[in-house]
Amino acid sequence: MVFPGTFLGVWNLLQISGRESVLSISPAWLQAHGHAQVFGWVGSFILGIGFYSIPKMRGGAKSSFGTAWICWAMWTTGAALRWAANVYLWEWRFLLPLSAFLELAAFLIFFRAVSQHRPEASGKEKLGPWIWVVISASMGLLLVLVVNLCGCLFVSFRAASPAFPHLFDQRYLALMAWGFLVPFVWGFSAKWMTVFLGLKPLRTRWLLAALVVNLTGLELTVAGAGWIGSWLFVVAAAMAVTALRMFEASEKEAKIRGVHSSFPFFVRMAYIWLIVAAALGVAATRWDTSGGIWGASRHALTVGFISVMILSVGQRILPAFAGMRMLWSTKLMFAGLAFVTLGCTLRVSCEIIAYQGYAAWAWSVLPISALCELAGLTIYAINILGTFVLEPSHAQKQPLVVGLPVKIS
Ligand code: HEM
């Protein structure tokens, strides 16, 4: 799912750089790229992890697997239809709302399955703070999907093209970024990073306060007070970093067995990108005249924060989730992360310089940035594929004899 959106993003950026103008590209194509990346790739990753963590699924009940497959089919069809309708414009007035409806329905199936999950034993155990953050992110995703459906219905009845109107799209993107993507990463960081990086214990109140400040910033931004809202995103990001103790000396050794030793570095790097994204958001509300500072802020967040985090955490957990496999290649893990980070650095800096008209040479760096990001994401996909196809699972390593695992000498 990473490829349709990435290829379109690269294609768009090559066109924009060639013509030295973002206005020459169809907004429907830009939006098809954004949608495919956020829903097709990141969304599928999140739904997959959510389903995995439901104990009933791990118990292997057939009906639960059926539910997961139905959800996957609807979600994937919805994302694919949106991509095709925006790019080819074929029957888009019908396909756009259909795709939004399928995605919303898939999420509701997922949500029903996840919300039936009760903590073990009495079911009265206290929910960890990270769960509240993930619940908030899930509500954010639900809201994004509802707004997306409304937007699709609006353009399908009223507009001349499948692209959302600019102002609506900007606020919808803010909701997607700060209402859904960011809290999800904070929630899962709170659950995993203390252990993975050996960090000092989480400051729970700071994390919950960061969530409240973030939601306030989001409300203000969506209401049109983007200047104050963007400042609140900076404060919230700094509070989340403080809560997670991301940049304090670790208490224990990081758990890097099976992954590249640079894993803790890249996770911290992702959080630096989060701060950069929030700071650029403030700069954009003040100085953006071309969409370049907004674009740089958006990609510092989606590529620098979200993608670097998925490449780091995905390669840490997915092999284990898929039958206790080992990651195929730790060197490829490093190469993928290095390419994405390099591409993102070039992109974020040169997008501002080029789009804002500060220096013309920056236009020629943007295609290189796109190819670096494409290379990084492709290496990641190859490594995950190699892990699933070539690495033996736990079951293959330890065959069962009369129900008991036997050790292979
Ligand atoms: C190979 C890497 C990528 C390239 C070359 C790329 C390129 C682009 C370009 C050219 C735009 C148009 C606006 C602008 O000029 O800034 C854009 C917008 C966008 N991108 Fe990317 N992108 C990449 C990766 C990603 C990833 C990984 C995500 C999300 C996880 C993402 C999410 C978005 C979103 C949400 C938009 C806004 C779409 C809209 O206007 O509605 N991009 N991207």
Side-chain angles (χ1 to χ4, degrees), residues 6 9-10 12-13 16 22 30-31 33-34 37-38 41-42 169 173 176 295 298-299 302-303 306-307 347 351 355 370 373-374 377:
T6 303
V10 173
N12 287 338
L13 195 56
I16 292 170
V22 71
L30 299 180
Q31 293 179 20
H33 152 74
Q37 293 289 48
V38 172
W41 179 42
V42 181
D169 189 48
L173 290 176
M176 189 157 81
R298 193 169 299 134
H299 280 83
T302 54
V303 181
I306 305 291
S307 304
R347 168 77 186 278
E351 178 158 5
Y355 284 39
E373 289 174 337
L374 175 64
L377 294 177

Side-chain angles (χ1 to χ4, degrees), residues 154-167:
F154 174 81
V155 291
S156 108
F157 283 111
R158 293 281 180 87
S161 101
F164 286 168
H166 180 68
L167 200 62

Side-chain angles (χ1 to χ4, degrees), residues 6 303 339-340 343-344 347 368-378:
T6 303
V303 181
F339 268 116
V340 168
C344 190
R347 168 77 186 278
I368 303 172
S369 79
L371 295 177
C372 285
E373 289 174 337
L374 175 64
L377 294 177
T378 307

